[in-house]
Amino acid sequence: MGKVEKIGNLILWGLQGFLVFLLIFQSSFALPLVGIGHLHPLILHLPIGFGVLLLGLFAIKNQLPSFEVLAEFLLLITAIFSTITAIFGLFLAKEGGFETSALDWHQWSGVAVSFLYFVWVLLRRNLLIGAALGFAALVVAGHTGASITHGEDYLRFGEKATEITSESVVFEDIVQPILKAKCESCHNDQKTKGALKMNSIANLMKGGKHGAIWKAGDALNSHLIQRIKLPMNAKEHMPPLGKAQLTLDEITILTLWVKEGASFDKKMGQFSADFQKLLQPNTLTANTKSYDFSAASESSIESVNTPYCTVYPIANESPALQADFYVAAKFDPITLSNLSQVSEQLVGLQLSKMPITNESLNLVSKFSHLEKLNLNFTSIDDAGIAQLAGLNHLEQLSVSGTKVGKSGVSKLLAKLPALKEIHVWSTNLSTADLGALRNQFPKVSFDAGYIPKEETLQINPPILVNENLILKPGEKLNFKHTLRDVLFRYTLNDSLPDSLRSPATKASIAITNYAKVRILATKPGWLASKPIDMRVYKSQFIPARIDLLTKPDPTYPAAGGASLYDFVLGAREVKGVSNYSWLGFKETDFDAVATFAQPAPIHGVTLSYLERTDSDVFPPVKVEVWAGESPDKLRLITTVKPSQPKEKNGYSPRGINIPVTGIKAKYYRIKAERLKRMPAFVDNKGKGAWLRVDELLFY
């Protein structure tokens, strides 16, 4: 027996002795360190890995000259770590929060694993039988453990995703799967953190040690919603740090579900249009506005988050932020003042039912980029809302349940050029006042808490089905709608579609190359929907490879030539975070060669690039396309000169189609020349501009 093996055996005997001691005195021993049991989920992967490796070793037994030595060593290592895992499992059980019956099964199956491997270390024969029995014991222990942490049906196979329709029961098909995936692992029959079980409707209605977990119709004061919207580093944030977190869409679904009554049998078609749109994330993405300002740093966002104020991006990769305040009794004016750290990015502010006074609106008026402001049921009046006159970007204002009247609303709306919608039910406005205001401001929608029967309703916008706006060969741009017999009208030239004469489709649009698509929904008896806009790219021919002939700047290397045909659009930049989705050229021009497996009869090339003149990023001044059957013998087939911007602008991804005719070649070379001297309207006039590229598509 070698020295290492002797030491390993001594360690194993010591660990086994300690394990037996803990089993005998498990009701009375104290934890050596608070929280030490949380190492159990980390350590348990080691004996599983070694146990699987040990069993698999027998498949290549004849190819290993030192098989016996290696197998005995793996057996010893597996025995040691399975014993350590069992010890830390007893520590974790000591911390409580688990159902006794389920815990007993897992505890003794885990102990059985360690004893079984220990016995076979002592026997030192029939290793295959020992490895197989050990693996079987690992499976049993793993299953009982998974049942505790993930629920009894964790290992259920073959279930298909439920298709969501207007007849789907929202709780059963949407809400419950979210709770099962993100909450039930800590709140089930085996593990009941906070005396709360979430694995059935009866248990949900029963609540936990803090009582009911939601108030139907009142999301802001519901325990569940408050916990999931706490900052990640907050002690009471749910799910806890280290567990799978709720996505922004899942948080919004739960919030609106509670707000709209928390019904267990209500169908999708009975919920609001806003709720129904949540199941179509691509619609939200397609409608996301482009902002000129940069994103706030993670540290700034973290510093303004409190247990009663949540600040978060309004959409994936958007720099714009929303701030929601909760629990009126905990409102602190300093928290509102601290939002000045992200004042440039703040576009939405939720202050409903907060103790906001006229004086507080002086702080609100300084958030110059606000687009949505909710002041429902606050103590403001006409004198207070006059301070909001400088919010030139404000599109939606909610002042329901306040003391505002006709005079204050009329004066304010005259100074808010972007306002589209105002909520004024339960205010000092009479029916006559509303009629006069509607006549005075015909472009503003007034929500007075009801819709006259004779009014024609506006249909919801189309729902984008595609997950990616770079379409591959044979792929179309697909849309759907929650209503039947809807006809979509669209344009591909950036013009506004006409609800009667523009091209029509019931489901899909064939895209041939890069286009700015604008589409709206129409239905007899309804007003046409608002249009949604999106930039769509099309690839008809995919090259085998693309090689860069010039090196990009080290700041924007992306993935080299591979990033030009990965079908992933460039992402918006965030301060202090490296961006690897763009190829950036500062000192050299863009030059790349695409190689096809067979000669490709293309009709054109699309170059996807970024225009952001406020950061010295300009379009190329000239693009050349070369083609041929050999990379050394290419000929110039076309040249285009993209139009250049005339004023400073913000983040704007764009594409340019470069048509070619009668070409069928194996190699295509694309050269894009960057702007060498920037115009006078930028700060660094006369200096060279950036050229940033993310996709090279062939159609």
Side-chain angles (χ1 to χ4, degrees):
M1 184 181 292
K3 184 177 181 181
V4 173
E5 191 174 359
K6 288 181 180 179
I7 295 174
N9 276 276
L10 288 174
I11 293 173
L12 179 58
W13 274 98
L15 290 172
Q16 283 288 321
F18 186 47
L19 177 59
V20 172
F21 171 83
L22 293 178
L23 289 171
I24 295 173
F25 299 100
Q26 60 180 313
S27 61
S28 57
F29 81 85
L31 289 175
L33 182 66
V34 176
I36 192 173
H38 290 280
L39 290 174
H40 174 71
L42 176 64
I43 299 172
L44 63 84
H45 295 91
L46 293 173
I48 293 174
F50 289 131
V52 172
L53 181 59
L54 175 61
L55 185 60
L57 209 62
F58 285 88
I60 55 173
K61 175 180 179 180
N62 296 331
Q63 302 175 33
L64 298 173
S66 303
F67 168 78
E68 292 291 335
V69 175
L70 182 58
E72 289 181 2
F73 177 76
L74 268 177
L75 179 64
L76 177 60
I77 293 296
T78 307
I80 289 174
F81 280 102
S82 61
T83 308
I84 294 174
T85 301
I87 290 171
F88 278 90
L90 292 175
F91 289 161
L92 182 60
K94 195 73 174 179
E95 296 180 18
F98 301 91
E99 181 72 15
T100 303
S101 59
L103 183 62
D104 286 342
W105 277 103
H106 180 55
Q107 173 182 301
W108 289 110
S109 62
V111 170
V113 171
S114 70
F115 281 172
L116 194 152
Y117 280 117
F118 174 63
V119 168
W120 243 265
V121 169
L122 298 180
L123 292 177
R124 296 170 63 86
R125 63 173 181 266
N126 297 325
L127 295 184
L128 177 58
I129 296 176
L133 290 175
F135 177 79
L138 282 170
V139 171
V140 174
H143 174 67
T144 56
S147 297
I148 293 175
T149 57
H150 300 290
E152 291 180 342
D153 59 348
Y154 179 65
L155 293 178
R156 181 179 295 174
F157 301 96
E159 293 188 351
K160 296 182 178 179
T162 303
E163 182 180 357
I164 304 301
T165 68
S166 60
E167 293 300 307
S168 298
V169 178
V170 167
F171 175 78
E172 180 180 340
D173 294 332
I174 302 168
V175 174
Q176 193 172 38
I178 295 175
L179 299 179
K180 182 177 288 292
K182 302 296 176 69
C183 306
E184 198 174 306
S185 64
C186 291
H187 303 282
N188 53 65
D189 288 334
Q190 289 76 38
K191 187 177 182 181
T192 53
K193 291 290 183 72
L196 173 64
K197 299 179 182 180
M198 302 180 73
N199 56 347
S200 69
I201 292 177
N203 286 334
L204 286 169
M205 295 299 292
K206 183 179 179 181
K209 68 179 181 181
H210 297 293
I213 61 175
W214 63 64
K215 295 181 180 179
D218 187 1
L220 289 177
N221 294 306
S222 291
H223 187 68
L224 171 68
I225 307 304
Q226 291 173 352
R227 285 290 191 94
I228 64 179
K229 288 191 174 183
L230 288 173
M232 281 285 293
N233 57 355
K235 183 179 179 180
E236 295 182 337
H237 170 81
M238 292 295 165
L241 197 63
K243 294 283 187 178
Q245 297 298 306
L246 291 157
T247 66
L248 182 59
D249 282 349
E250 288 172 339
I251 291 173
T252 311
I253 286 171
L254 293 178
T255 302
L256 282 184
W257 178 72
V258 172
K259 182 180 178 182
E260 296 187 28
S263 170
F264 291 103
D265 52 14
K266 200 172 175 181
K267 296 181 179 179
M268 171 64 77
Q270 298 173 287
F271 278 78
S272 68
D274 286 339
F275 185 93
Q276 295 181 42
K277 277 191 246 181
L278 285 173
L279 299 190
Q280 308 299 332
N282 287 311
T283 299
L284 301 178
T285 302
N287 268 326
T288 300
K289 290 178 61 175
S290 178
Y291 293 94
D292 293 343
F293 49 78
S294 300
S297 65
E298 291 292 332
S299 59
S300 295
I301 296 176
E302 184 177 350
S303 67
V304 295
N305 268 282
T306 73
Y308 306 104
C309 173
T310 302
V311 182
Y312 56 91
I314 64 171
N316 186 35
E317 298 184 355
S318 175
L321 301 176
Q322 167 81 22
D324 295 341
F325 282 77
Y326 307 93
V327 188
K330 299 292 185 179
F331 178 79
D332 187 349
I334 295 178
T335 303
L336 181 60
S337 178
N338 286 342
L339 291 179
S340 61
Q341 298 180 56
V342 293
S343 60
E344 182 183 15
Q345 293 81 17
L346 195 65
V347 301
L349 183 58
Q350 161 69 275
L351 292 167
S352 177
K353 298 182 181 180
M354 294 296 112
I356 297 295
T357 61
N358 288 345
E359 290 72 23
S360 305
L361 294 187
N362 181 49
L363 290 172
V364 176
S365 67
K366 295 178 181 179
F367 304 135
S368 59
H369 286 139
L370 273 183
E371 296 175 353
K372 295 183 180 181
L373 176 59
N374 190 332
L375 297 168
N376 288 343
F377 299 98
T378 58
S379 301
I380 64 170
D381 56 23
D382 288 348
I385 63 172
Q387 300 179 69
L388 305 178
L391 299 178
N392 295 327
H393 298 282
L394 196 63
E395 298 177 358
Q396 180 179 311
L397 176 63
S398 299
V399 290
S400 299
T402 66
K403 298 177 182 179
V404 301
K406 179 184 177 183
S407 175
V409 172
S410 177
K411 291 178 181 178
L412 177 62
L413 265 57
K415 298 180 180 180
L416 296 179
L419 197 73
K420 300 176 182 177
E421 182 179 351
I422 183 169
H423 300 263
V424 290
W425 47 275
S426 297
T427 61
N428 291 336
L429 293 171
S430 65
T431 303
D433 292 337
L434 283 168
L437 287 170
R438 286 190 172 107
N439 290 331
Q440 185 180 358
F441 303 100
K443 295 183 179 180
V444 178
S445 172
F446 288 80
D447 177 12
Y450 70 98
I451 299 176
K453 293 182 180 179
E454 65 273 13
E455 184 175 341
T456 303
L457 300 178
Q458 185 179 41
I459 196 171
N460 293 334
I463 298 169
L464 178 65
V465 176
N466 302 75
E467 295 183 358
N468 193 345
L469 290 180
I470 305 180
L471 306 181
K472 295 182 179 181
E475 187 178 3
K476 293 183 178 181
L477 190 64
N478 297 310
F479 295 90
K480 64 179 181 179
H481 204 278
T482 53
L483 299 180
R484 295 180 179 178
D485 303 321
V486 172
L487 190 66
F488 303 123
R489 298 280 183 175
Y490 66 92
T491 60
L492 302 178
N493 57 4
D494 202 16
S495 63
L496 188 65
D498 186 280
S499 61
L500 297 175
R501 293 182 291 273
S502 293
T505 179
K506 291 186 177 181
S508 61
I509 303 174
I511 303 295
T512 57
N513 51 29
Y514 166 76
K516 175 73 176 293
V517 180
R518 308 187 76 179
I519 184 168
L520 50 79
T522 65
K523 181 178 173 67
W526 296 70
L527 294 176
S529 74
K530 296 178 181 178
I532 61 173
D533 303 344
M534 63 205 75
R535 298 179 186 273
V536 183
Y537 300 79
K538 177 68 174 185
S539 172
Q540 298 281 18
F541 304 93
I542 302 176
R545 59 182 297 167
I546 298 180
D547 297 297
L548 291 175
L549 301 183
T550 53
K551 289 185 178 181
D553 189 275
T555 311
Y556 297 94
S563 64
L564 293 169
Y565 61 116
D566 61 1
F567 293 90
V568 177
L569 291 174
R572 181 185 288 273
E573 291 182 274
V574 177
K575 287 182 178 178
V577 179
S578 300
N579 190 315
Y580 294 105
S581 60
W582 291 99
L583 283 168
F585 297 85
K586 179 70 170 177
E587 304 299 331
T588 59
D589 295 330
F590 170 81
D591 195 353
V593 172
T595 303
F596 289 85
Q598 299 295 330
I602 71 169
H603 299 284
V605 180
T606 298
L607 181 67
S608 172
Y609 63 89
L610 177 64
E611 181 181 306
R612 185 171 185 176
T613 58
D614 62 356
S615 296
D616 299 342
V617 184
F618 277 74
V621 295
K622 183 174 68 173
V623 181
E624 296 178 352
V625 179
W626 299 63
E629 293 306 309
S630 169
D632 301 325
K633 296 179 180 180
L634 303 177
R635 62 184 180 89
L636 179 64
I637 57 175
T638 189
T639 300
V640 296
K641 294 184 178 180
S643 60
Q644 296 295 312
K646 304 299 181 183
E647 59 185 9
K648 186 179 290 189
N649 61 16
Y651 182 85
S652 181
R654 298 179 182 273
I656 180 173
N657 293 321
I658 309 167
V660 299
T661 56
I663 300 299
K664 184 177 182 180
K666 187 174 181 179
Y667 298 93
Y668 291 92
R669 182 179 181 182
I670 289 80
K671 301 170 66 175
E673 182 180 331
R674 73 195 191 287
L675 182 65
K676 302 301 191 299
R677 293 178 61 85
M678 288 186 288
F681 63 78
V682 298
D683 297 333
N684 295 320
K685 61 181 180 180
K687 295 184 179 180
W690 277 98
L691 173 61
R692 293 187 196 162
V693 180
D694 69 335
E695 292 292 312
L696 192 58
L697 307 172
F698 298 84
Y699 61 89

